[in-house]
Amino acid sequence: MSKLIRHLKLYIQHHNVQNQQRNQALAELVEQILRTRKVCRPRPGHPLSGIYLEIYQTVQQQLNHQLDDDIDSRYLQMTSDQDWASWRDSVFKKVLDEGCLQQLALEAQRHQLNTPERFYALTELLNAIKLSGKLYHRGQFSPDVYDDAVNRTLYYVYQNLNHYNREKGKFINWVNFRLNKMLQKAQQDLTDPFIQAQTGKIVRIKYQLSALIKSTKLESIIVWITLTIKGLITDNTEASNVTKIMMVLFLLSQLIAKDRTKGDSLVFEMAKASLPLSANLSQLTGESLTIETVAQPETELTLYDQLRYYFKEDPENLLQKHIKNHPEATLQVIALAYLDGNKWQEISDSLDVKISSLNNFFQRNLRKLAPEIKRYIEEEMG
């Protein structure tokens, strides 16, 4: 735990009487906890404003309130920066509801493509999605498949955010629909021999590049440049190319030494780029959120999948009408039960509604909504 956080916590615990000094210490403790937050970080030279400031202030107030209430009990047990960070993230998770994510998405859409404002807004949006806990859980999929699908989904959001239309449903539903498709694609790729072979090639090339980067020393570059300047290497074009390559390898070695995760990610991208199908594989693996790639065909959901998604999510809030005197017997509940293969007698027994009433209500309302459902599936899910 940082010394300042430890000092502030002890000060607050030993000054229970409400006064200006204690309140200032509380505010400073909250500020220290928020310094390493993952979302609502200001752009360099630009103070927080708009939805980012609103989220930040809400989290700030909640942290302050909770600390003030029971600093002597719960927070006495926090002994590391990781403990404080986990608690801070749990508060962000509560604040980042569907409404906040919707506002963050609309804010990102507002900015022109390829501008610093757009990049900042997209970064904030993607970090908020990951932190919010609003993505579908992995269910029967393995952790590797789920993580792969999440990366692909975030990449899709990064590249295609302007395709989202607020008039046609909630933003998080749009994201989760894409995640459902990506889960199927990631699962399929897991058993695709061609993709596995290409991935194996990329991994082998990455190891070769890593070994080359590790062996590149500044002294070797200086010797090579010296020989070139003295004219001892006669092929100027080749000498120039080799010099550039050596410089890139050296810079990569410095990056890896400073931040291994970023360095490894960049080497992985270089390995993918060395294959003829690099654009395809970038889309398939979803490793990068910044490198533009060629969009690949995706595995389409069946009509059943599309219908079930529509009735489960009710993206346009049209399915909550219910049978008179039976508020639990909504069109959504009946349709899902029917799509899941339940017989009318079983649905009737579970809802305590006559079969004739169920049938009439279902058929009548389905006929009314059929054009709207068809339009939504064709435009949003086609």
Side-chain angles (χ1 to χ4, degrees):
M1 186 191 303
S2 70
K3 292 182 180 179
L4 183 54
I5 288 180
R6 186 185 301 111
H7 171 75
L8 290 168
K9 185 181 80 166
L10 291 174
Y11 178 88
I12 296 167
Q13 288 172 335
H14 288 88
H15 294 78
N16 291 327
V17 179
Q18 291 287 347
N19 56 44
Q20 186 176 356
Q21 288 76 19
R22 186 178 188 275
N23 291 337
Q24 287 177 344
L26 271 171
E28 190 171 353
L29 176 56
V30 170
E31 183 179 347
Q32 289 300 314
I33 295 168
L34 286 170
R35 283 176 66 87
T36 56
R37 62 190 182 276
K38 300 173 184 176
V39 295
C40 296
R41 299 184 62 83
R43 287 175 57 208
H46 295 78
L48 281 178
S49 61
I51 181 61
Y52 310 111
L53 179 60
E54 182 181 330
I55 293 172
Y56 176 82
Q57 290 177 335
T58 302
V59 172
Q60 186 182 46
Q61 291 168 5
Q62 291 196 18
L63 293 175
N64 195 305
H65 179 71
Q66 291 184 30
L67 281 171
D68 193 21
D69 280 352
D70 55 355
I71 186 69
D72 293 318
S73 54
R74 174 183 173 187
Y75 304 106
L76 187 64
Q77 307 304 318
M78 293 196 185
T79 58
S80 69
D81 290 338
Q82 186 175 1
D83 290 336
W84 289 101
S86 297
W87 172 60
R88 175 202 65 212
D89 290 349
S90 70
V91 176
F92 265 107
K93 187 174 180 179
K94 294 176 183 177
V95 173
L96 290 170
D97 56 18
E98 291 183 357
C100 282
L101 294 178
Q102 183 98 354
Q103 290 183 66
L104 289 170
L106 296 176
E107 175 63 22
Q109 280 186 334
R110 191 171 67 82
H111 299 291
Q112 293 294 320
L113 298 175
N114 303 318
T115 61
E117 293 80 9
R118 174 83 170 199
F119 180 77
Y120 169 79
L122 282 170
T123 302
E124 287 290 315
L125 174 62
L126 297 183
N127 287 337
I129 291 172
K130 289 188 288 185
L131 189 58
S132 71
K134 298 297 186 295
L135 289 174
Y136 282 160
H137 298 300
R138 65 183 180 90
Q140 78 275 19
F141 296 98
S142 70
D144 287 343
V145 168
Y146 182 77
D147 290 344
D148 185 13
V150 168
N151 284 336
R152 299 184 194 199
T153 301
L154 294 177
Y155 180 80
Y156 178 87
V157 173
Y158 180 89
Q159 293 285 73
N160 299 280
L161 180 62
N162 282 358
H163 292 173
Y164 167 66
N165 185 342
R166 64 184 297 185
E167 302 298 328
K168 297 178 180 178
K170 297 176 181 178
F171 170 71
I172 194 61
N173 289 344
W174 181 75
V175 174
N176 277 323
F177 170 70
R178 184 60 49 176
L179 176 57
N180 275 334
K181 299 184 78 172
M182 294 303 187
L183 281 167
Q184 295 184 40
K185 181 64 176 172
Q187 184 66 42
Q188 181 187 29
D189 291 348
L190 192 64
T191 56
D192 188 312
F194 172 76
I195 292 174
Q196 292 306 304
Q198 296 299 310
T199 303
K201 290 180 183 178
I202 292 174
V203 172
R204 287 192 294 274
I205 293 172
K206 178 182 180 294
Y207 282 127
Q208 292 169 356
L209 280 172
S210 297
L212 189 59
I213 290 167
K214 189 175 181 181
S215 65
T216 302
K217 306 298 182 184
L218 182 58
E219 295 80 8
S220 302
I221 299 175
I222 293 173
V223 169
W224 177 264
I225 294 175
T226 301
L227 292 173
T228 304
I229 293 173
K230 289 184 176 181
L232 298 176
I233 300 175
T234 56
D235 191 333
N236 292 331
T237 302
E238 181 180 350
S240 176
N241 290 337
V242 172
T243 302
K244 291 176 183 177
I245 292 172
M246 293 179 73
M247 289 299 296
V248 168
L249 293 174
F250 177 71
L251 291 173
L252 281 170
S253 70
Q254 298 300 298
L255 175 60
I256 292 172
K258 183 178 180 181
D259 190 329
R260 187 170 187 84
T261 300
K262 287 184 179 179
D264 281 346
S265 177
L266 187 53
V267 174
F268 190 87
E269 291 296 338
M270 292 174 66
K272 284 194 293 184
S274 69
L275 293 180
L277 297 177
S278 60
N280 295 359
L281 287 166
S282 293
Q283 181 71 16
L284 288 171
T285 58
E287 289 289 335
S288 169
L289 292 179
T290 58
I291 296 179
E292 290 192 9
T293 54
V294 178
Q296 298 300 303
E298 298 166 348
T299 302
E300 294 296 332
L301 296 180
T302 65
L303 179 59
Y304 168 81
D305 292 326
Q306 294 172 331
L307 283 172
R308 198 182 189 290
Y309 175 86
Y310 183 90
F311 280 103
K312 182 175 185 298
E313 297 301 326
D314 190 11
E316 299 173 304
N317 198 32
L318 300 175
L319 307 177
Q320 301 310 310
K321 187 175 182 180
H322 60 81
I323 295 176
K324 188 176 181 180
N325 298 326
H326 294 276
E328 73 285 356
T330 64
L331 181 60
Q332 181 183 40
V333 169
I334 297 169
L336 286 173
Y338 179 76
L339 287 171
D340 287 344
N342 292 285
K343 299 184 183 303
W344 283 114
Q345 186 60 60
E346 295 172 333
I347 302 173
S348 171
D349 293 341
S350 66
L351 296 174
D352 193 24
V353 179
K354 293 179 180 179
I355 293 179
S356 58
S357 299
L358 282 172
N359 246 315
N360 291 336
F361 174 81
F362 182 66
Q363 297 294 341
R364 183 175 66 255
N365 285 280
L366 196 59
R367 279 195 297 270
K368 292 180 182 178
L369 289 179
E372 182 58 32
I373 296 173
K374 180 175 182 293
R375 180 203 59 76
Y376 184 88
I377 289 177
E378 287 177 348
E379 294 182 7
E380 294 295 319
M381 305 169 70

